[in-house]
């Protein structure tokens, strides 16, 4: 087992306690969103009925912001998240040497633009690069072959206003913006500094060089004619604060705390979206086993704006957001679509996309709210194993719930030599949480690329 994964398992309960979070039962926990690696700096984007969640990747056992790639996850229901792997990394930018830090993706012109801070190899300073792709899951290529902007500061975020004008904001310790041109990869009007006044961004005490609370990570959006700037405040026990303004360039008025300091990471980083009629607040904390300030995890809460448009105070939970809709088991589902997992890792599949692997006896994946309808009669999975294989137990409702079926995954002579196995299923009716529990001998058992049930007609199909 990968050492970092071992550590995450061993420290799971302890980390939750340190983070000040209630230790959940397996059935309750859906935060953090990703359990297979450490993720940070969430940047959610809604596109075509799905939420795409772009994150950084904190390396296992990191003692600094050691980050070499970005990752993408997506969900149609806010609880079952599909891992799309890493479609952009430092290697995408030939001029970048380190620090794949907090970015933001926007869709425009039929393309997806990913603005990221990275260290410029030739200047040694942080600069803003732009990746571009024709799919929200990439692959992304370097749009410019050079930085779009460079002043040693970080955390780009783009607002596309109703009139079509796009603004790129970034900065730590300052706050900057440029007016992007319609091509989204150039700008006009120079680099502008937003005045960091205490009226605009709150008063910080104890640091004469940083009179306001603004630290980094601006997330700027418009709602009901009001512009919001939600940002990480007051290093180095960051909380999330926010300001509002009548225009995208100010004047800003500080409105207070959105998420207090909590969760076992000395940074936090916000992303705010509306999806399927609800509002969602993404952030990161140190809640996974082995988690902390350099081994962070992205999480989400649902919230409701106050009647006057102000943001409520949002507290981290281990339960996460409620599910919107259900998951459809009678179409192919990627094995890396996960509400919660234990011991599982993901990797690129030779068959395309990702697969789950490094499965040991007792590891499991939970898929939430599976709409079996009148009942499933069989289960199929695409599996591969360079070892002896094992079994997939299909448990309903909980990890110790009734077994609806057991599929045997044989050795196939290679971890990417795929075969489809099918087994009978009974008792899988209605809408239930599904646990895929992997069992077998010692060592890694098998990989799974996808699964699908067959059987009676299903009800509402949302994912
Ligand atoms: O992840 C590296 C840096 O930590 C980000 O750029 C900041 O926002 C903070 O979260």
């Amino acid at each position: 087992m990968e050492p970092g994964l071992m550590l995450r398992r061993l420290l799971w309960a302890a980390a939750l306690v340190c983070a000040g979070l209630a230790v959940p039962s397996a059935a309750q926990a859906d935060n953090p969103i990703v359990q297979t690696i450490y993720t940070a700096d969430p940047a959610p984007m809604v596109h075509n009925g799905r939420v795409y969640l772009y994150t950084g990747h904190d390396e296992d056992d990191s003692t600094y912001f050691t980050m070499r790639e970005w990752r993408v996850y997506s969900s149609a229901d806010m609880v079952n998240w599909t891992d799309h792997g890493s479609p952009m990394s430092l290697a995408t930018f030939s001029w970048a040497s380190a620090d794949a830090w907090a970015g933001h993706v926007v869709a425009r012109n039929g393309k997806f633009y990913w603005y990221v801070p990275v260290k410029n190899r030739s200047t040694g300073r942080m600069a803003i690069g732009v990746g571009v792709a024709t799919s929200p899951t990439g692959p992304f290529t370097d749009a410019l072959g050079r930085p779009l902007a460079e002043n040693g500061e970080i955390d780009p975020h783009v607002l596309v206003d109703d009139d079509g004008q796009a603004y790129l904001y970034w900065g730590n310790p300052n706050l900057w913006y440029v007016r992007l041109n319609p091509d989204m990869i150039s700008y006009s009007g120079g680099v502008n500094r937003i005045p960091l006044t205490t009226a605009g961004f709150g008063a910080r005490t104890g640091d004469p060089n940083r009179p306001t609370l603004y630290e980094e990570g601006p997330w700027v959006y418009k709602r009901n004619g009001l512009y919001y700037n939600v940002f990480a405040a007051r290093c180095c026990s960051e909380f999330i604060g926010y300001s509002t303004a009548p225009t995208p360039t100010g004047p800003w008025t500080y409105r207070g705390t959105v998420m207090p300091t909590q969760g076992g990471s000395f940074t936090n980083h916000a992303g705010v979206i509306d999806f399927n009629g609800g509002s969602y607040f993404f952030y990161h904390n140190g809640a996974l086993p082995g988690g902390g300030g350099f081994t962070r995890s992205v999480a989400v809460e649902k919230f409701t704006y106050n009647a006057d448009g102000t943001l409520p105070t949002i507290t981290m939970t281990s339960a996460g957001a409620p599910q919107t809709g259900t998951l459809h088991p009678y179409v192919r589902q990627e094995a890396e679509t996960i509400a919660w997992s234990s011991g599982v890792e993901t990797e690129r599949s030779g068959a395309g996309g990702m697969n789950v692997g490094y499965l040991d006896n007792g590891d499991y994946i939970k898929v939430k709210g599976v709409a079996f309808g009148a009942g499933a009669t069989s289960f199929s999975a695409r599996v591969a194993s360079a070892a002896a294989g094992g079994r997939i137990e299909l448990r309903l409702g909980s990890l110790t719930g009734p077994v609806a079926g057991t599929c045997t995954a044989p050795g196939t002579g290679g971890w990417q030599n795929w075969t489809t196995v099918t087994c009978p299923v009974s008792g899988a009716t209605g809408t239930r949480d599904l646990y895929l529990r992997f069992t077998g001998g010692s060592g890694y058992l098998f990989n799974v690329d996808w699964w699908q049930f067959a059987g009676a007609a299903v009800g509402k199909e949302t994912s």
Side-chain angles (χ1 to χ4, degrees):
M1 183 189 302
E2 180 218 326
L5 185 62
M6 171 75 88
L7 198 59
R8 285 201 290 278
R9 285 181 176 182
L10 290 175
L11 298 177
W12 164 230
L16 283 169
V17 170
C18 291
L21 303 177
V23 177
S25 75
Q28 292 173 315
D30 291 315
N31 267 336
I33 288 170
V34 178
Q35 306 84 43
T36 51
I37 60 169
Y38 295 113
T39 54
D41 302 326
M45 178 192 74
V46 177
H47 179 72
N48 279 352
R50 289 187 79 81
V51 177
Y52 290 86
L53 175 59
Y54 300 86
T55 77
H57 175 192
D58 283 347
E59 296 292 327
D60 286 353
D61 307 320
S62 181
T63 54
Y64 179 63
F65 299 112
T66 308
M67 305 170 79
R68 304 187 182 101
E69 62 175 16
W70 297 269
R71 308 285 290 215
V72 185
Y73 303 84
S74 76
S75 176
D77 63 11
M78 295 305 294
V79 298
N80 296 303
W81 291 91
T82 302
D83 186 335
H84 299 285
S86 173
M88 195 168 87
S89 71
L90 289 175
T92 305
F93 302 97
S94 60
W95 48 272
S97 60
D99 299 343
W101 288 1
H104 180 228
V105 179
V106 290
R108 198 157 196 207
N109 308 329
K111 294 181 181 165
F112 300 86
Y113 297 90
W114 199 340
Y115 300 83
V116 288
V118 286
K119 185 172 282 184
N120 185 335
R121 181 191 312 281
S122 56
T123 64
R125 295 199 307 172
M126 294 303 287
I128 309 301
V130 191
V132 64
T134 54
S135 158
T137 56
F140 287 79
T141 56
D142 186 355
L144 285 164
R146 59 177 168 75
L148 170 63
E150 177 174 331
N151 63 4
E153 301 199 27
I154 60 173
D155 291 3
H157 177 90
V158 168
L159 161 76
V160 182
D161 207 350
D162 297 339
D163 62 2
Q165 176 64 57
Y167 299 82
L168 169 66
Y169 304 85
W170 79 100
N172 177 348
N174 301 292
L175 180 55
W176 309 90
Y177 74 90
V178 294
R179 286 183 168 85
L180 290 171
N181 294 328
D183 66 7
M184 299 298 277
I185 55 172
S186 63
Y187 59 86
S188 298
V191 177
N192 307 284
R193 186 199 294 252
I194 295 175
L196 289 178
T197 62
T198 54
F201 295 91
R204 181 185 323 214
T205 53
D207 185 349
N209 296 319
R210 305 289 290 258
T212 78
L213 292 169
Y214 176 80
E215 185 72 30
E216 58 189 357
W219 184 276
V220 183
Y221 63 98
K222 186 180 188 181
R223 179 179 182 272
N224 293 342
L226 188 65
Y227 295 83
Y228 293 70
N229 182 348
V230 181
F231 57 87
R234 194 198 55 202
C235 179
C236 286
S237 57
E238 286 184 350
F239 65 94
I240 302 297
Y242 81 110
S243 305
T244 60
T247 79
T249 57
W252 295 97
T253 300
Y254 183 60
R255 298 292 180 192
T257 298
V258 185
M259 175 170 274
T261 304
Q262 56 192 287
S265 163
F266 63 88
T267 67
N268 199 349
H269 194 104
V272 184
I273 57 165
D274 284 347
F275 176 66
N276 273 355
S279 298
Y280 296 89
F281 183 86
F282 291 75
Y283 58 95
H284 68 220
N285 62 23
L288 267 195
F294 301 119
T295 43
R296 300 163 290 178
S297 291
V298 166
V300 63
E301 310 295 340
K302 189 176 185 185
F303 74 95
T304 304
Y305 286 89
N306 297 320
D308 62 0
T310 55
L311 284 159
T313 302
I314 300 170
T315 299
M316 298 180 185
T317 73
S318 58
Q323 185 169 13
T324 66
T326 54
L327 186 127
H328 185 9
Y330 300 110
V331 297
R332 174 176 151 165
Q333 294 288 348
E334 297 302 321
E336 63 274 13
T337 295
I338 297 170
W340 190 260
S341 66
S342 175
V344 171
E345 297 188 49
T346 63
E347 62 184 3
R348 283 268 165 228
S349 168
M354 306 288 283
N355 62 258
V356 300
Y358 302 94
L359 306 176
D360 292 287
N361 182 40
D363 291 348
Y364 71 89
I365 290 171
K366 170 190 167 188
V367 187
K368 197 167 180 180
V370 180
F372 291 108
T377 54
S378 71
F379 171 84
S380 297
R382 192 76 171 158
V383 298
S385 176
R391 291 172 300 283
I392 307 173
E393 286 178 7
L394 304 170
R395 289 185 177 265
L396 300 173
S398 77
L399 197 52
T400 54
V403 178
T406 302
C407 251
T408 299
T412 61
W415 295 112
Q416 293 292 326
N417 288 353
W418 298 101
T419 191
T420 303
V421 295
T422 299
C423 54
V425 168
S426 63
T429 59
T431 297
R432 313 285 293 274
D433 294 346
L434 172 69
Y435 287 74
L436 305 164
R437 183 167 181 268
F438 309 110
T439 63
S442 60
Y444 295 134
L445 305 175
F446 53 90
N447 294 343
V448 189
D449 192 11
W450 53 260
W451 56 263
Q452 180 170 351
F453 285 84
V458 72
K460 191 178 167 207
E461 302 170 6
T462 59
S463 51

